[in-house]
Amino acid sequence: MIQNEDIFKAIISHSKEYGFIFPSSEIYDGLSAVYDYGQYGVELKNNIKTYWWKAMAQMHENIVGIDAAIFMHPTVWKASGHVDAFSDPLIDNKDSKKRYRADVLIEDYIAKIEEKINKEVTKAAKRFGADFDESMFLQTNGRIAEYRKKIEDISNRMNRALNENDFEDIRQLIIDLEIVCPVSGSRNWTDVRQFNLMFATQMGAAADGASQVYLRPETAQGIFVNYLNVQKTGRVKPPFGIAQIGKAFRNEIVARQFIFRMREFEQMEMQYFVRPGEELTWYEYWKEQRMKWHLSLGIPAEKYRFHNHEKLAHYANAAADIEFAFPFGFKELEGIHSRTDFDLSAHQQYSGKKLQYFDQELNESYVPYVVETSIGVDRMFLAILSHAYQEEKLEDGSERVVLRIPPMLAPVKAAVLPLVKKDGLPEKAREIMDILKQDHMCQYDEKDAIGRRYRRQDAIGTPYCITVDHQTLEDNCVTIRERDSMRQDRIAIEKLPQIISDKVKMKF
Ligand code: ATP
């Protein structure tokens, strides 16, 4: 755990040191849970978005994209349920004056019990050595059974209380579990209150009757309110999807864990409109498709897992998260939800406009059902970065930090490096740079010894370094060094574009 915490800290400082992520308005000491993407961060982020966009809108002939405005008519959020129900239960500690999400305090408590189970397993594995049968141990060990029962009891009680808005019992659960404030160490808690997460602002001058508008807390509603426009103009019929990438805003109570939970973030969402009754088949289809998308990045499967929701949101009839092994544990990266006809029906009711499809094959009209896939760009960024970041000891005893970013997402695809700053090598290197930059983001670097330049490129995850030396002037060949293996090969300049393109091509 400690080790992972250290790695997480190292990732955060590496992100800043190498221009991936800066705290927002840093010269004014930052703004809580708001971050800016730097020169390499923006490239990686754009590549993640392109990879998603292509997988959705390009690879599926029946998915089209839109780009809706952040501001929407205020009634949208009434219809969607966000005005009344988009809130978290919060609790304050009277001594430290710190505010917490009540459910998160309880979940952290559960995570501690899970840690204890893991410790028991590690201990037993050491004791039994090669004979250790983990699944047998988990099934038969008495202490583990007790821990598991405790987790189940706590979860059941919390879920019931959350479902029924029984805030008194949530508070009582925190007291019964003797949860203390991590800052003050005391159990001096206030009551639990609901806190709406939407940011509100005024549109128009007060004199002309300004109206309250919200910064959208999810991009999905921009898709629902455009359902009819797209269906009428896009020559689409169910099943079909609408995809969108855009900013969303939530006034998160507990904003921590770097870009995992931000107050301004970006979502990539796709709503898939299907015939009523077919939604659960499509739900399974999209669960599988989305997991495939993650795995095609080459990140090992054991870093991902599904978490099926038992407690469903009021609009869903099935829901699952794809969780990722972040340095602070398995946490939600993406949600796949079968949202029934809740949203379209609500907008139909509030707007008075018919949001239906006449299905000629069935000879009937219906409000389509919706299966959505929803992933945070920033969380995906953090998943990639935390998987990619590695501190390595090399054979010669030196160390390097390397970002093993999947080459198709790497901010810079190739660096062109003249061995020395004279003898015509820079000119030759510039010629190569001019060819390669037509197709890829490349970097030219002639400063410092070649070893240091390699390290700089490793630290930002550049898959290839191309070195131009004196021999190059005679045989038109360069040394190409691969980031992960550090293998170096001598190849003809004319082969470079193809080699790099093959390596960084987006595959689905
Ligand atoms: P959580 O339970 O972690 O708050 P959520 O269930 O509220 O997440 P959704 O409303 O399903 O999240 O949003 C879909 C996706 O948007 C999430 O899977 C996540 O990747 C991303 N996301 C949600 N909230 C944030 C946030 N505050 N910062 C960054 N990404 C977020």
Side-chain angles (χ1 to χ4, degrees), residues 86 88 101 217-218 250 252 259-267 269 309 315 321 332-335 337 372 374-380:
F86 191 57
D88 281 337
R101 249 174 76 175
E218 63 174 28
R250 295 182 188 179
E252 300 279 3
I259 56 170
F260 181 81
R261 190 174 299 289
M262 304 158 89
R263 296 203 165 108
E264 172 178 344
F265 58 101
E266 217 165 344
Q267 289 186 313
E269 296 199 297
H309 287 208
Y315 51 73
D321 297 334
E332 172 178 345
L333 170 60
E334 169 158 11
H337 311 127
E372 90 173 348
S374 173
I375 176 170
V377 180
D378 315 87
R379 274 194 201 175
M380 187 62 197

Side-chain angles (χ1 to χ4, degrees), residues 66-284:
I66 63 162
D67 183 21
I70 288 170
F71 289 133
M72 302 181 74
H73 193 285
T75 311
V76 167
W77 305 110
K78 188 79 194 144
S80 68
H82 284 80
V83 170
D84 296 323
F86 191 57
S87 43
D88 281 337
L90 65 80
I91 190 166
D92 292 0
N93 182 268
K94 289 186 199 162
D95 298 317
S96 67
K97 309 268 183 282
K98 289 274 171 204
R99 178 160 289 177
Y100 300 92
R101 249 174 76 175
D103 55 332
V104 171
L105 282 180
I106 299 167
E107 273 162 13
D108 286 350
Y109 184 90
I110 291 175
K112 279 194 195 129
I113 307 179
E114 276 167 353
E115 241 173 68
K116 284 186 189 162
I117 295 180
N118 292 339
K119 267 194 198 141
E120 292 286 338
V121 172
T122 318
K123 242 174 35 194
K126 253 194 206 150
R127 205 166 57 230
F128 294 111
D131 296 334
F132 183 60
D133 180 342
E134 184 174 326
S135 65
M136 176 70 97
F137 179 76
L138 284 171
Q139 278 170 34
T140 52
N141 183 281
R143 196 167 302 161
I144 285 182
E146 263 172 44
Y147 285 144
R148 285 191 160 166
K149 172 89 176 59
K150 196 164 179 196
I151 291 177
E152 199 188 317
D153 289 347
I154 297 171
S155 303
N156 286 344
R157 186 167 160 197
M158 178 177 77
N159 288 339
R160 186 209 62 82
L162 287 174
N163 275 335
E164 294 171 17
N165 286 337
D166 183 351
F167 300 125
E168 249 170 59
D169 197 45
I170 294 176
R171 178 171 190 273
Q172 195 53 46
L173 181 57
I174 290 172
I175 288 167
D176 291 351
L177 296 174
E178 302 186 348
I179 294 175
V180 297
C181 164
V183 177
S184 67
S186 88
R187 289 186 228 147
N188 198 3
W189 297 109
T190 61
D191 286 343
V192 174
R193 278 168 300 140
Q194 282 290 58
F195 174 74
N196 195 295
L197 301 184
M198 283 199 293
F199 284 99
T201 186
Q202 299 293 318
M203 182 169 264
D208 21 282
S211 58
Q212 174 160 282
V213 290
Y214 299 100
L215 297 186
R216 65 181 177 197
E218 63 174 28
T219 56
Q221 298 303 325
I223 290 179
F224 292 127
V225 299
N226 277 296
Y227 158 76
L228 207 55
N229 285 333
V230 174
Q231 191 237 298
K232 278 187 175 159
T233 59
R235 302 176 61 235
V236 283
K237 56 178 195 179
F240 78 94
I242 305 179
Q244 180 172 217
I245 299 178
K247 290 266 181 163
F249 304 81
R250 295 182 188 179
N251 198 0
E252 300 279 3
I253 301 165
V254 190
R256 52 173 190 189
Q257 289 165 331
F258 194 37
I259 56 170
F260 181 81
R261 190 174 299 289
M262 304 158 89
R263 296 203 165 108
E264 172 178 344
F265 58 101
E266 217 165 344
Q267 289 186 313
M268 306 189 280
E269 296 199 297
M270 193 278 300
Q271 265 67 38
Y272 204 65
F273 299 89
V274 305
R275 273 183 186 164
E278 293 183 359
E279 72 277 8
L280 292 178
T281 313
W282 287 113
Y283 166 73
E284 291 302 331

Side-chain angles (χ1 to χ4, degrees), residues 23 98 314 325 408 435:
K98 289 274 171 204
H314 57 285
M408 60 175 136
I435 297 169

Side-chain angles (χ1 to χ4, degrees), residues 44-73:
L44 174 54
K45 196 179 185 207
N46 282 342
N47 292 342
I48 291 171
K49 289 194 270 185
T50 304
Y51 185 53
W52 183 88
W53 190 262
K54 287 191 172 182
M56 288 296 182
Q58 186 172 313
M59 297 302 290
H60 292 92
E61 292 169 32
N62 63 346
I63 297 181
V64 296
I66 63 162
D67 183 21
I70 288 170
F71 289 133
M72 302 181 74
H73 193 285

